[in-house]
Structures are given as structure tokens and as C-alpha cells.
Amino acid sequence: MRMIFRCDPRLAEHLPRPFPARTALPDWLRAMPAKAHSDIHDRDIRTVKQCPPFVDAMAHGVMIPLPCDVRVERGAFAWDWDIPEPATQGHPRAPLSFHPVAQFAGAPFANGQAALKFNSFWTIELEPGWSLFATHPVNRDDLPFRSISGLVDADRFHDGGINFPAVWTESDFAGVLPKGTPVVQCFAVPREAPELVFEPFDDAHREAYAKVVGEVLAAPNVYRKHFRAMRGRLTS
């Protein structure tokens, strides 16, 4: 699987590149202790930092970064970004634009507000049969916005930019959203629908279930040691 990113030639030296999500794990996760005291259990228990599915979801796929610093003052957005005029007709220059309230009429996440649109400065091409699933960076409720998920058939639509809508969730935020902030996390997903098969446990599956659950309850790190797959490094 290859993900091909292209950009306007005049902007190539000015744009931060999309990057593997595994390189952008947040500081709060890195600082989280491996264990913390639980009043319910009256002892230290493992935190989600030791939960491979939690961490692997955050580390999977590719992050699309904000291309420049954006100043935010209680709903007002501004930036100073000195870039050349793009060589491509119809290409954006601003890092942000907006969706009017009417486009999300009745959507529970919009709260009657206009939505942001993180403009795209990279086109994305996938191999035949694959689509691009774009969503808010996984488990990143620390970000002051919430990106809206979408699925694009990027094996076919790859000559135009994919813009990423989001709702701003911290109305009293005042500060800078820094260049490089991950605004959306992308995964290549197969477009072919899976065949759904439903079966009751037979004797072998019932015994296997009991064995695995017993091992998980008896000792830590069973999934990490015996079931977690090695993930290949993304290349560029």
C-alpha cells in the first residue's frame, strides 16, 4: 500500500509534510504513569498507557498537520503566513476557511455554530480499491476542536485537495494553535465490504475462549506478548 502526497510546486518548501501518527503521540500520554492508585481496588492498577489497543489506535495511520501558526481569540482566527502565490489555479492560500451553519443543520455536534474547514495543501492518492478514512486524531480530546469524520475514494479522487471540516469546541480559547498540530488522522481502508458470518462456539472455540480469558485474568501483558502484531514502519 502506497499513499502518494502531492502539492503545488511553489509551496513544496513551505509545507509541513503529513507524518506517521506513531511519531506524534501527545505529551500527556508520554507523561502518564504506567500505574496509578485505584481507590476502588485499593491498589495500583495499570493505566491505558499499558493498553496496546489504546496506544496502537493513536499510533496508526497518518496525521495531516496544520501548515502554520493560527492565533485564536474567542472564536476569531488569524494567521501570518508568507507563502508564494500557488502555481495551480484555484489552489487555496489560507490555512482555514469555514462552512456555514446551514450545512450542518440539525447535526448534534455543530451546536448552531459555523464549522471550520482545514484546507488541504496536499492531494492524496491511494491504490485501486482503497478509500481514505479521515477522522479526528484518535483519543485527542485535548485538542480545542473536533474534526468531523469522512470517507473519500482516494483511488479515484486524487487530483483535488481533501478539505477537513471541524467544529471548534473551546469557545473561550485564547492562544495559538501551532504549526504542525495534527488536525486529522487518516487511514487507508479497503472499500470491499466484508462478508459477515455468525456462528455459535463449538467445543474448540469454547475451550479456546476459556483458556485465553483465564490467561488474561491471571497475568499482565498477555495480549502484548502473544497476540499483538508487529507493525511495519511507514516509509516515505
Side-chain angles (χ1 to χ4, degrees):
M1 164 55 61
R2 291 202 309 164
M3 302 178 73
I4 303 174
F5 297 88
R6 299 184 180 94
C7 69
D8 183 280
R10 292 181 184 171
L11 303 183
E13 301 303 318
H14 299 268
L15 298 175
R17 294 182 173 185
F19 49 85
R22 60 179 170 76
T23 67
L25 295 176
D27 292 340
W28 60 259
L29 181 62
R30 299 181 187 280
M32 182 183 291
K35 292 185 176 182
H37 183 76
S38 167
D39 292 336
I40 294 175
H41 298 85
D42 195 28
R43 59 180 173 84
D44 286 353
I45 62 172
R46 288 172 292 160
T47 66
V48 292
K49 188 173 185 175
Q50 293 198 63
C51 176
F54 182 90
V55 176
D56 287 347
M58 298 179 70
H60 189 65
V62 176
M63 295 293 194
I64 306 298
L66 187 68
C68 67
D69 288 352
V70 174
R71 301 187 304 278
V72 186
E73 185 69 34
R74 293 177 175 82
F77 299 84
W79 52 86
D80 298 307
W81 192 27
D82 185 18
I83 57 172
E85 181 71 27
T88 308
Q89 185 175 356
H91 198 287
R93 291 193 66 182
L96 299 177
S97 54
F98 298 89
H99 288 285
V101 175
Q103 285 192 282
F104 295 98
F109 52 77
N111 294 322
Q113 302 178 40
L116 297 176
K117 181 163 59 178
F118 291 111
N119 288 331
S120 173
F121 292 87
W122 296 91
T123 63
I124 306 172
E125 181 177 357
L126 299 182
E127 295 181 359
W130 291 77
S131 298
L132 188 80
F133 181 67
T135 193
H136 185 76
V138 173
N139 297 329
R140 293 298 305 272
D141 288 350
D142 55 304
L143 296 170
F145 58 87
R146 169 66 61 171
S147 295
I148 299 169
S149 300
L151 186 70
V152 178
D153 294 335
D155 58 341
R156 301 180 179 187
F157 183 88
H158 50 69
D159 291 324
I162 301 170
N163 297 319
F164 305 106
V167 292
W168 195 261
T169 56
E170 294 188 19
S171 58
D172 59 349
F173 182 95
V176 174
L177 199 63
K179 174 182 178 179
T181 297
V183 298
V184 73
Q185 189 167 353
C186 293
F187 314 100
V189 295
R191 193 157 54 246
E192 183 176 355
E195 177 186 0
L196 303 183
V197 179
F198 302 92
E199 299 175 341
F201 289 164
D202 58 17
D203 290 344
H205 285 102
R206 190 170 60 253
E207 292 173 7
Y209 183 100
K211 179 177 183 295
V212 169
V213 170
E215 291 173 349
V216 169
L217 293 175
N221 299 319
V222 170
Y223 173 80
R224 185 195 307 273
K225 293 177 180 178
H226 302 292
F227 299 99
R228 190 188 196 189
M230 293 295 293
R231 282 164 170 76
R233 293 183 176 273
L234 294 179
T235 58
S236 60

mmCIF file of all heavy atoms in Angstrom, residues 16 65-72 77-82 95-96 175-181:
data_model
loop_
_atom_site.group_PDB
_atom_site.id
_atom_site.type_symbol
_atom_site.label_atom_id
_atom_site.label_comp_id
_atom_site.label_asym_id
_atom_site.label_seq_id
_atom_site.Cartn_x
_atom_site.Cartn_y
_atom_site.Cartn_z
ATOM 1 N N PRO A 16 4.632 21.760 5.881
ATOM 2 C CA PRO A 16 4.987 20.567 6.659
ATOM 3 C C PRO A 16 4.341 19.346 6.024
ATOM 4 O O PRO A 16 3.204 19.405 5.540
ATOM 5 C CB PRO A 16 4.394 20.862 8.042
ATOM 6 C CG PRO A 16 3.294 21.836 7.796
ATOM 7 C CD PRO A 16 3.704 22.652 6.603
ATOM 8 N N PRO A 65 -0.939 17.741 9.137
ATOM 9 C CA PRO A 65 -0.611 18.821 10.071
ATOM 10 C C PRO A 65 -1.162 20.178 9.645
ATOM 11 O O PRO A 65 -1.361 20.456 8.457
ATOM 12 C CB PRO A 65 0.921 18.833 10.030
ATOM 13 C CG PRO A 65 1.252 18.425 8.616
ATOM 14 C CD PRO A 65 0.165 17.446 8.210
ATOM 15 N N LEU A 66 -1.395 21.027 10.616
ATOM 16 C CA LEU A 66 -1.713 22.425 10.360
ATOM 17 C C LEU A 66 -0.485 23.084 9.733
ATOM 18 O O LEU A 66 0.622 22.952 10.257
ATOM 19 C CB LEU A 66 -2.079 23.111 11.680
ATOM 20 C CG LEU A 66 -2.608 24.536 11.613
ATOM 21 C CD1 LEU A 66 -3.975 24.579 10.954
ATOM 22 C CD2 LEU A 66 -2.679 25.137 13.015
ATOM 23 N N PRO A 67 -0.636 23.819 8.608
ATOM 24 C CA PRO A 67 0.554 24.295 7.894
ATOM 25 C C PRO A 67 1.223 25.527 8.487
ATOM 26 O O PRO A 67 2.341 25.854 8.101
ATOM 27 C CB PRO A 67 0.015 24.597 6.493
ATOM 28 C CG PRO A 67 -1.418 24.948 6.707
ATOM 29 C CD PRO A 67 -1.866 24.070 7.836
ATOM 30 N N CYS A 68 0.559 26.231 9.409
ATOM 31 C CA CYS A 68 1.172 27.422 10.001
ATOM 32 C C CYS A 68 0.514 27.692 11.346
ATOM 33 O O CYS A 68 -0.530 27.109 11.675
ATOM 34 C CB CYS A 68 1.015 28.630 9.073
ATOM 35 S SG CYS A 68 -0.699 29.182 8.863
ATOM 36 N N ASP A 69 1.119 28.589 12.126
ATOM 37 C CA ASP A 69 0.506 29.005 13.383
ATOM 38 C C ASP A 69 -0.814 29.718 13.105
ATOM 39 O O ASP A 69 -0.915 30.531 12.178
ATOM 40 C CB ASP A 69 1.425 29.968 14.137
ATOM 41 C CG ASP A 69 2.646 29.287 14.731
ATOM 42 O OD1 ASP A 69 2.720 28.040 14.694
ATOM 43 O OD2 ASP A 69 3.530 30.014 15.226
ATOM 44 N N VAL A 70 -1.815 29.436 13.916
ATOM 45 C CA VAL A 70 -3.096 30.132 13.832
ATOM 46 C C VAL A 70 -3.408 30.711 15.209
ATOM 47 O O VAL A 70 -3.438 29.982 16.206
ATOM 48 C CB VAL A 70 -4.226 29.185 13.379
ATOM 49 C CG1 VAL A 70 -5.580 29.906 13.451
ATOM 50 C CG2 VAL A 70 -3.973 28.687 11.967
ATOM 51 N N ARG A 71 -3.610 32.028 15.258
ATOM 52 C CA ARG A 71 -3.967 32.693 16.502
ATOM 53 C C ARG A 71 -5.490 32.654 16.675
ATOM 54 O O ARG A 71 -6.229 32.920 15.738
ATOM 55 C CB ARG A 71 -3.482 34.147 16.501
ATOM 56 C CG ARG A 71 -1.972 34.287 16.337
ATOM 57 C CD ARG A 71 -1.523 35.725 16.514
ATOM 58 N NE ARG A 71 -2.207 36.645 15.608
ATOM 59 C CZ ARG A 71 -1.852 36.842 14.340
ATOM 60 N NH1 ARG A 71 -0.820 36.165 13.821
ATOM 61 N NH2 ARG A 71 -2.508 37.716 13.589
ATOM 62 N N VAL A 72 -5.884 32.326 17.893
ATOM 63 C CA VAL A 72 -7.315 32.196 18.178
ATOM 64 C C VAL A 72 -7.648 33.061 19.386
ATOM 65 O O VAL A 72 -6.982 32.981 20.422
ATOM 66 C CB VAL A 72 -7.701 30.732 18.465
ATOM 67 C CG1 VAL A 72 -9.213 30.595 18.615
ATOM 68 C CG2 VAL A 72 -7.184 29.804 17.365
ATOM 69 N N PHE A 77 -10.119 33.950 14.300
ATOM 70 C CA PHE A 77 -8.930 33.239 13.839
ATOM 71 C C PHE A 77 -8.093 34.152 12.946
ATOM 72 O O PHE A 77 -8.637 34.866 12.089
ATOM 73 C CB PHE A 77 -9.337 31.989 13.050
ATOM 74 C CG PHE A 77 -10.136 31.007 13.847
ATOM 75 C CD1 PHE A 77 -11.508 31.155 13.998
ATOM 76 C CD2 PHE A 77 -9.516 29.933 14.477
ATOM 77 C CE1 PHE A 77 -12.251 30.248 14.750
ATOM 78 C CE2 PHE A 77 -10.253 29.033 15.230
ATOM 79 C CZ PHE A 77 -11.617 29.194 15.372
ATOM 80 N N ALA A 78 -6.771 34.124 13.139
ATOM 81 C CA ALA A 78 -5.879 34.955 12.332
ATOM 82 C C ALA A 78 -4.554 34.240 12.169
ATOM 83 O O ALA A 78 -4.179 33.378 12.968
ATOM 84 C CB ALA A 78 -5.680 36.324 12.991
ATOM 85 N N TRP A 79 -3.806 34.604 11.124
ATOM 86 C CA TRP A 79 -2.509 33.981 10.868
ATOM 87 C C TRP A 79 -1.658 34.916 10.024
ATOM 88 O O TRP A 79 -2.167 35.790 9.317
ATOM 89 C CB TRP A 79 -2.680 32.639 10.146
ATOM 90 C CG TRP A 79 -3.544 32.732 8.914
ATOM 91 C CD1 TRP A 79 -3.172 33.061 7.644
ATOM 92 C CD2 TRP A 79 -4.974 32.526 8.872
ATOM 93 N NE1 TRP A 79 -4.250 33.060 6.804
ATOM 94 C CE2 TRP A 79 -5.370 32.733 7.521
ATOM 95 C CE3 TRP A 79 -5.943 32.184 9.818
ATOM 96 C CZ2 TRP A 79 -6.697 32.611 7.122
ATOM 97 C CZ3 TRP A 79 -7.246 32.064 9.409
ATOM 98 C CH2 TRP A 79 -7.623 32.270 8.078
ATOM 99 N N ASP A 80 -0.371 34.748 10.110
ATOM 100 C CA ASP A 80 0.608 35.426 9.253
ATOM 101 C C ASP A 80 1.412 34.324 8.581
ATOM 102 O O ASP A 80 2.242 33.672 9.216
ATOM 103 C CB ASP A 80 1.529 36.331 10.083
ATOM 104 C CG ASP A 80 0.756 37.435 10.797
ATOM 105 O OD1 ASP A 80 0.008 38.160 10.123
ATOM 106 O OD2 ASP A 80 0.898 37.548 12.028
ATOM 107 N N TRP A 81 1.163 34.125 7.297
ATOM 108 C CA TRP A 81 1.795 33.016 6.591
ATOM 109 C C TRP A 81 2.230 33.529 5.221
ATOM 110 O O TRP A 81 1.414 33.692 4.324
ATOM 111 C CB TRP A 81 0.817 31.850 6.454
ATOM 112 C CG TRP A 81 1.455 30.572 6.011
ATOM 113 C CD1 TRP A 81 2.737 30.171 6.197
ATOM 114 C CD2 TRP A 81 0.794 29.506 5.312
ATOM 115 N NE1 TRP A 81 2.941 28.928 5.663
ATOM 116 C CE2 TRP A 81 1.769 28.494 5.117
ATOM 117 C CE3 TRP A 81 -0.507 29.306 4.843
ATOM 118 C CZ2 TRP A 81 1.473 27.307 4.456
ATOM 119 C CZ3 TRP A 81 -0.795 28.123 4.197
ATOM 120 C CH2 TRP A 81 0.182 27.127 3.998
ATOM 121 N N ASP A 82 3.502 33.806 5.120
ATOM 122 C CA ASP A 82 4.052 34.392 3.893
ATOM 123 C C ASP A 82 4.494 33.263 2.957
ATOM 124 O O ASP A 82 5.585 32.711 3.100
ATOM 125 C CB ASP A 82 5.233 35.297 4.241
ATOM 126 C CG ASP A 82 5.773 36.023 3.018
ATOM 127 O OD1 ASP A 82 5.052 36.090 2.001
ATOM 128 O OD2 ASP A 82 6.916 36.512 3.070
ATOM 129 N N PRO A 95 -4.922 28.821 5.527
ATOM 130 C CA PRO A 95 -4.957 27.512 6.180
ATOM 131 C C PRO A 95 -6.363 27.088 6.590
ATOM 132 O O PRO A 95 -6.622 25.896 6.753
ATOM 133 C CB PRO A 95 -4.069 27.701 7.409
ATOM 134 C CG PRO A 95 -4.150 29.167 7.702
ATOM 135 C CD PRO A 95 -4.254 29.842 6.360
ATOM 136 N N LEU A 96 -7.257 28.082 6.745
ATOM 137 C CA LEU A 96 -8.616 27.796 7.189
ATOM 138 C C LEU A 96 -9.631 28.480 6.296
ATOM 139 O O LEU A 96 -9.373 29.547 5.734
ATOM 140 C CB LEU A 96 -8.855 28.321 8.618
ATOM 141 C CG LEU A 96 -8.020 27.786 9.769
ATOM 142 C CD1 LEU A 96 -8.407 28.509 11.053
ATOM 143 C CD2 LEU A 96 -8.196 26.298 9.929
ATOM 144 N N GLY A 175 -5.231 31.839 22.358
ATOM 145 C CA GLY A 175 -3.854 31.382 22.244
ATOM 146 C C GLY A 175 -3.515 31.045 20.815
ATOM 147 O O GLY A 175 -4.155 31.526 19.882
ATOM 148 N N VAL A 176 -2.506 30.208 20.656
ATOM 149 C CA VAL A 176 -2.012 29.847 19.334
ATOM 150 C C VAL A 176 -2.160 28.351 19.132
ATOM 151 O O VAL A 176 -1.753 27.547 19.983
ATOM 152 C CB VAL A 176 -0.530 30.256 19.160
ATOM 153 C CG1 VAL A 176 0.015 29.754 17.827
ATOM 154 C CG2 VAL A 176 -0.379 31.768 19.254
ATOM 155 N N LEU A 177 -2.762 27.998 18.009
ATOM 156 C CA LEU A 177 -2.746 26.614 17.548
ATOM 157 C C LEU A 177 -1.495 26.489 16.687
ATOM 158 O O LEU A 177 -1.415 27.068 15.599
ATOM 159 C CB LEU A 177 -4.011 26.327 16.739
ATOM 160 C CG LEU A 177 -4.411 24.866 16.550
ATOM 161 C CD1 LEU A 177 -4.717 24.214 17.881
ATOM 162 C CD2 LEU A 177 -5.612 24.767 15.615
ATOM 163 N N PRO A 178 -0.475 25.787 17.148
ATOM 164 C CA PRO A 178 0.826 25.856 16.478
ATOM 165 C C PRO A 178 0.903 25.060 15.183
ATOM 166 O O PRO A 178 0.191 24.067 14.992
ATOM 167 C CB PRO A 178 1.801 25.285 17.519
ATOM 168 C CG PRO A 178 0.968 24.417 18.387
ATOM 169 C CD PRO A 178 -0.417 25.026 18.415
ATOM 170 N N LYS A 179 1.775 25.542 14.314
ATOM 171 C CA LYS A 179 2.108 24.824 13.094
ATOM 172 C C LYS A 179 2.479 23.386 13.432
ATOM 173 O O LYS A 179 3.196 23.127 14.390
ATOM 174 C CB LYS A 179 3.285 25.518 12.399
ATOM 175 C CG LYS A 179 3.830 24.803 11.176
ATOM 176 C CD LYS A 179 5.020 25.567 10.610
ATOM 177 C CE LYS A 179 5.637 24.860 9.415
ATOM 178 N NZ LYS A 179 6.791 25.624 8.853
ATOM 179 N N GLY A 180 1.987 22.439 12.642
ATOM 180 C CA GLY A 180 2.284 21.036 12.873
ATOM 181 C C GLY A 180 1.266 20.314 13.721
ATOM 182 O O GLY A 180 1.328 19.080 13.830
ATOM 183 N N THR A 181 0.326 21.057 14.338
ATOM 184 C CA THR A 181 -0.728 20.392 15.109
ATOM 185 C C THR A 181 -1.467 19.394 14.219
ATOM 186 O O THR A 181 -1.899 19.745 13.120
ATOM 187 C CB THR A 181 -1.731 21.433 15.647
ATOM 188 O OG1 THR A 181 -1.069 22.325 16.543
ATOM 189 C CG2 THR A 181 -2.882 20.742 16.380
#
